[in-house]
């Protein structure tokens, strides 16, 4: 008898993936930051300073009001001392005078005498007060500076545990296939039909 059905079985297909345990070490990283401080040159210069004080020189030519009053007071004091000395000297002469001496006329003659003593004087009689400060020059030079800032990070270990993965790549299946020839109803419709001779 002819086989009419073909049965095909497809088994399940499983794929297994194994990931081993892993220990990873991350290296330490180092960051470097460089900064620069600019230097430069600084020059400080101070010229010579001349101090000229002409106060006394001007006072010797044209004194101020205060200096004029002071000089007049000194001259007045000196005049008083000179006058007292003159009167004292004349009093002594009068006490020792003899009768008949002409002291009064002598005193009058002394009072009328003109002082002919004079002296040449250059003005101003006092020179200016001169002083000075020496010149000064300061030069300061600084080189550029480089600053290095190191930042070091510590290394670390990272552990990855192992695992097993199962994946189904093909599902199980049963394929049933009809492999026989077609069955015609009625049989005479079969193109290869041959009538059956039933004559005996």
């Amino acid at each position: 008898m002819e086989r009419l059905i073909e049965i095909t079985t497809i088994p399940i297909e499983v794929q297994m993936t194994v990931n081993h345990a892993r220990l990873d070490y991350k290296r330490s990283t180092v960051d470097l930051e460089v900064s620069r401080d600019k230097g430069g040159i600084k020059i400080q210069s101070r010229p010579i300073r001349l101090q000229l004080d002409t106060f006394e020189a001007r006072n010797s030519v044209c004194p101020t009001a205060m200096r004029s009053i002071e000089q007049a007071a000194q001259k007045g004091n000196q005049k008083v001392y000179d006058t007292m000395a003159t009167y004292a000297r004349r009093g002594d002469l009068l006490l020792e005078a003899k009768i008949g001496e002409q002291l009064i006329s002598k005193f009058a003659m002394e009072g009328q005498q003109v002082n002919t003593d004079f002296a040449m004087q250059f003005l101003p009689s006092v020179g200016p007060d001169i002083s000075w400060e020496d010149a000064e020059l300061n030069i300061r030079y600084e080189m550029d500076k480089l600053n290095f800032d190191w930042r070091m990070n510590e290394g670390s270990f990272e552990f990855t545990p192992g695992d097993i993965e199962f994946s189904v790549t093909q599902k199980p299946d049963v394929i049933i296939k009809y492999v026989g020839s077609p069955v015609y109803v009625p049989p005479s419709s079969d193109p290869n039909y041959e009538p059956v001779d039933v004559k005996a």
Side-chain angles (χ1 to χ4, degrees):
M1 183 176 183
E2 184 183 359
R3 187 177 61 168
L4 299 178
I5 297 175
E6 182 180 321
I7 299 175
T8 304
T9 303
I10 299 175
I12 187 171
E13 185 175 340
V14 178
Q15 182 179 1
M16 182 176 65
T17 304
V18 178
N19 295 322
H20 299 284
R22 187 174 65 252
L23 179 63
D24 296 330
Y25 171 70
K26 292 184 178 180
R27 291 185 178 180
S28 60
T29 58
V30 178
D31 297 332
L32 173 61
E33 181 179 348
V34 181
S35 60
R36 177 182 177 185
D37 297 336
K38 292 185 178 180
I41 184 170
K42 296 180 181 179
I43 300 177
Q44 293 181 347
S45 175
R46 190 186 68 186
I48 188 171
R49 293 183 180 180
L50 179 65
Q51 297 175 352
L52 187 64
D53 187 3
T54 60
F55 181 76
E56 295 297 335
R58 286 184 286 107
N59 275 334
S60 65
V61 177
C62 182
T64 60
M66 182 178 292
R67 184 60 62 86
S68 297
I69 294 172
E70 183 180 352
Q71 291 176 353
Q74 290 178 355
K75 289 180 179 179
N77 288 337
Q78 187 64 35
K79 193 68 175 177
V80 169
Y81 294 146
D82 293 343
T83 304
M84 291 177 62
T86 301
Y87 284 146
R89 183 172 51 81
R90 289 180 181 178
D92 291 340
L93 290 175
L94 289 174
L95 290 175
E96 297 178 358
K98 296 179 182 180
I99 298 174
E101 290 185 9
Q102 298 295 325
L103 294 178
I104 301 299
S105 60
K106 185 178 179 181
F107 293 158
M109 291 294 292
E110 289 179 358
Q112 293 179 359
Q113 288 181 355
V114 178
N115 187 6
T116 57
D117 296 334
F118 67 92
M120 183 177 290
Q121 184 178 8
F122 293 95
L123 296 177
S125 60
V126 180
D129 184 11
I130 300 175
S131 62
W132 66 87
E133 295 181 7
D134 295 336
E136 185 176 350
L137 178 64
N138 294 325
I139 300 176
R140 182 179 179 183
Y141 174 72
E142 291 184 0
M143 298 179 62
D144 293 351
K145 297 179 180 178
L146 290 178
N147 301 320
F148 297 93
D149 188 7
W150 296 89
R151 296 189 180 92
M152 182 176 294
N153 300 323
E154 296 181 357
S156 62
F157 291 91
E158 183 178 354
F159 175 72
T160 305
D163 61 352
I164 299 176
E165 296 179 358
F166 292 94
S167 58
V168 178
T169 59
Q170 184 172 330
K171 297 180 180 179
D173 197 2
V174 176
I175 300 175
I176 301 173
K177 184 177 180 182
Y178 177 75
V179 294
S181 58
V183 177
Y184 293 96
V185 179
S188 59
S189 61
D190 185 0
N192 298 325
Y193 177 74
E194 292 179 1
V196 180
D197 189 6
V198 294
K199 293 179 180 181

